[in-house]
C-alpha cells in the first residue's frame, strides 16, 4: 500500500469541510495551486519533498483555506482563532465530558444511590458539562479575539498536523473483516446473555436468596426465541456485508432488522412485560420520580441508536455506489 503524500492529506483535510457539490472543484483548484507553488520552489533549488512541505506551510491551515475557497467566513469567533477554538472544543468534549459523566456515575454507585437516581444525575451532569464547556470555551476565545490586537496567540500550523487519509469504506476487505469480527463477537455475547440471564448468574437475592432472572420467564414462549432468531439473521447480515460490501439491498435489510428488534423490545418495556417481577423488586423499581426520566431516556436512546445504524448503512452504501460509478 502506498503512503499518501502531504498534498493528498492536505486536499482531503480541506475538501471534507466544504459542501459536497463544491468538493471536486476545490480539490482540483487546490491541487493545481499546490503543484504550481511546489514546482516554483523546485526551480529555485529545493528538493521535491522540501518544496511540497514549504508550499503547504505557506498555504496555512486547510480549514481556513477551504473557507476562503467557498466564501464561507469563519465568524463564530473570528478567522484568526476559529480553527484553534474548534479543535480545542472537540478535544474537550472527547476527554472531559466522558470523564465527568463516568465520575459522577461511579460516585453515585459507590454512595449507594438507587440506579434510577444515579442514571438521572449522570444525564443531568453530562448536559450541564456540555453546556458549560461550550459556553466558557467560546467566551475565552471571544475575549482573546477582542483583547489581543496586534498579538497573534495562535499556534503555528505545520503539515505535520494533517490527518491521515481514511481507508475506503468499500473494496477494503481488511476493514470489513474487522467490522465482521466485532459484529460476531457482540452478537455472540448478546445471545449468550439472553440465555444465561434466565439462570440469574448476574443477580441473586430472590425471596429464598436464590438466582433472579432479568427477563420475564414467560417471554420464552415466543419473544426470546424471536430475538435469538433475529441475532442469527444479524450474523448472516454481517457476513453478507463482509462478502459484498454495502449496497441498497443491504440497507433495506438493515432497516427491517432494526425495526424488527426495536419495536417489540420497546413495546415489551413500555407494557411492563420485559423484566421479571423478581428482578424489578430486587432493583426497587420504579425509583420514584426518576422512573419516567429513565424510561424516556432508554426509549430515546434505543430509537436513536437504531436510526443512526440505518443512516450509517445508507451513507456507506451511497459512498460505495459512488466509488463503483467512478471506477466504471
Amino acid at each position: 500500500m502506498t503512503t499518501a503524500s502531504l498534498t493528498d492529506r492536505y486536499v482531503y483535510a480541506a475538501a471534507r469541510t466544504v459542501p459536497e457539490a463544491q468538493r471536486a472543484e476545490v480539490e482540483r483548484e487546490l491541487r493545481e495551486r499546490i503543484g504550481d507553488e511546489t514546482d516554483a520552489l523546485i526551480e529555485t533549488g529545493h528538493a521535491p519533498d522540501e518544496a511540497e512541505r514549504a508550499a503547504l506551510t505557506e498555504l496555512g491551515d486547510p480549514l481556513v483555506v477551504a473557507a476562503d475557497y467557498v466564501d464561507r467566513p469563519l465568524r463564530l469567533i473570528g478567522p484568526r482563532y476559529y480553527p484553534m477554538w474548534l479543535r480545542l472544543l472537540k478535544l474537550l468534549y472527547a476527554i472531559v465530558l466522558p470523564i465527568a459523566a463516568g465520575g459522577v456515575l461511579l460516585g453515585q454507585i459507590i454512595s449507594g444511590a438507587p440506579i434510577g437516581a444515579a442514571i438521572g444525575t449522570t444525564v443531568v451532569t453530562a448536559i450541564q458539562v456540555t453546556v458549560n464547556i461550550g459556553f466558557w470555551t467560546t467566551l475565552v476565545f471571544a475575549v482573546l479575539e477582542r483583547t489581543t490586537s496586534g498579538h497573534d496567540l495562535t499556534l503555528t500550523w505545520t503539515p505535520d498536523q494533517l490527518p491521515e487519509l481514511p481507508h475506503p469504506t468499500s473494496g477494503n476487505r481488511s476493514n470489513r473483516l474487522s467490522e465482521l469480527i466485532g459484529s460476531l463477537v457482540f452478537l455472540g455475547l448478546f445471545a449468550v446473555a439472553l440465555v444465561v440471564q434466565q439462570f440469574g448468574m448476574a443477580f441473586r437475592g430472590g425471596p429464598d436468596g436464590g438466582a433472579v432472572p432479568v427477563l420475564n420467564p414467560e417471554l420464552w414462549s415466543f419473544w426470546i426465541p424471536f430475538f435469538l432468531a433475529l441475532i442469527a439473521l444479524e450474523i448472516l447480515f454481517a457476513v453478507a456485508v463482509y462478502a459484498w460490501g454495502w449496497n441498497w439491498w443491504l440497507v433495506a435489510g438493515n432497516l427491517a432488522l432494526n425495526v424488527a428488534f426495536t419495536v417489540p423490545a420497546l413495546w415489551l418495556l413500555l407494557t411492563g412485560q420485559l423484566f421479571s417481577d423478581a428482578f424489578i423488586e430486587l432493583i426497587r423499581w420504579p425509583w420514584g420520580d426518576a422512573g419516567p426520566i429513565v424510561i424516556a431516556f432508554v426509549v430515546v436512546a434505543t430509537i436513536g441508536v437504531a436510526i443512526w445504524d440505518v443512516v450509517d448503512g445508507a451513507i456507506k452504501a451511497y459512498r460505495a455506489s459512488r466509488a463503483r460509478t467512478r471506477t466504471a
Side-chain angles (χ1 to χ4, degrees):
M1 183 180 67
T2 58
T3 303
S5 67
L6 288 177
T7 298
D8 293 331
R9 293 163 58 191
Y10 190 97
V11 171
Y12 163 71
R16 66 177 177 173
T17 64
V18 304
E20 188 168 349
Q22 299 172 269
R23 197 166 294 169
E25 181 180 357
V26 170
E27 289 179 352
R28 178 179 55 79
E29 292 184 6
L30 262 181
R31 287 188 183 278
E32 291 179 357
R33 181 176 175 182
I34 295 170
D36 291 343
E37 295 186 11
T38 300
D39 291 341
L41 289 172
I42 291 176
E43 291 177 359
T44 63
H46 290 75
D49 291 345
E50 180 184 348
E52 181 185 33
R53 177 175 288 272
L56 296 179
T57 303
E58 180 65 25
L59 274 177
D61 195 317
L63 183 64
V64 177
V65 173
D68 291 339
Y69 265 101
V70 297
D71 193 24
R72 187 175 60 190
L74 308 176
R75 288 291 182 265
L76 179 60
I77 298 298
R80 181 170 50 162
Y81 291 116
Y82 181 87
M84 183 189 294
W85 167 83
L86 183 60
R87 292 189 177 103
L88 179 60
L89 197 62
K90 290 180 178 178
L91 183 64
L92 291 175
Y93 278 140
I95 296 176
V96 177
L97 182 57
I99 291 177
V104 170
L105 180 60
L106 180 61
Q108 290 286 310
I109 293 174
I110 293 176
S111 65
I115 296 178
I119 295 177
T121 302
T122 302
V123 172
V124 171
T125 301
I127 295 174
Q128 292 175 341
V129 171
T130 300
V131 172
N132 277 281
I133 288 177
F135 174 78
W136 291 109
T137 303
T138 303
L139 178 62
V140 168
F141 276 91
V143 172
L144 287 176
E145 182 74 29
R146 291 156 179 77
T147 59
T148 58
S149 178
H151 301 281
D152 192 357
L153 303 180
T154 57
L155 299 175
T156 302
W157 182 89
T158 69
D160 294 325
Q161 297 173 243
L162 290 171
E164 295 292 341
L165 293 180
H167 294 294
T169 302
S170 62
N172 192 321
R173 301 282 286 198
S174 61
N175 281 353
R176 296 212 301 265
L177 179 60
S178 63
E179 293 179 358
L180 173 64
I181 294 173
S183 297
L184 294 181
V185 170
F186 171 76
L187 292 170
L189 292 176
F190 188 26
V192 171
L194 281 179
V195 175
V196 302
Q197 61 80 31
Q198 178 64 39
F199 306 103
M201 298 181 68
F203 295 94
R204 291 186 175 274
D208 57 352
V212 173
V214 176
L215 301 181
N216 186 349
E218 295 180 2
L219 297 179
W220 279 100
S221 63
F222 176 76
W223 285 113
I224 291 181
F226 171 79
F227 288 126
L228 290 173
L230 276 183
I231 291 175
L233 291 177
E234 286 279 5
I235 290 174
L236 294 177
F237 176 82
V239 173
V241 171
Y242 169 73
W244 302 320
W246 279 94
N247 57 54
W248 294 111
W249 287 106
L250 290 178
V251 170
N254 191 35
L255 173 62
L257 287 171
N258 271 284
V259 171
F261 174 83
T262 303
V263 173
L266 291 181
W267 176 73
L268 291 171
L269 173 67
L270 295 175
T271 57
Q273 302 178 65
L274 185 60
F275 299 113
S276 68
D277 293 337
F279 177 71
I280 290 177
E281 183 178 351
L282 180 65
I283 62 176
R284 299 177 183 177
W285 178 261
W287 308 324
D289 295 336
I293 297 176
V294 175
I295 289 293
F297 175 79
V298 171
V299 170
V300 171
T302 303
I303 295 175
V305 169
I307 291 175
W308 170 246
D309 186 54
V310 173
V311 171
D312 182 55
I315 292 173
K316 291 177 179 178
Y318 172 72
R319 290 175 178 172
S321 176
R322 289 192 60 194
R324 285 191 290 268
T325 301
R326 287 195 298 266
T327 301

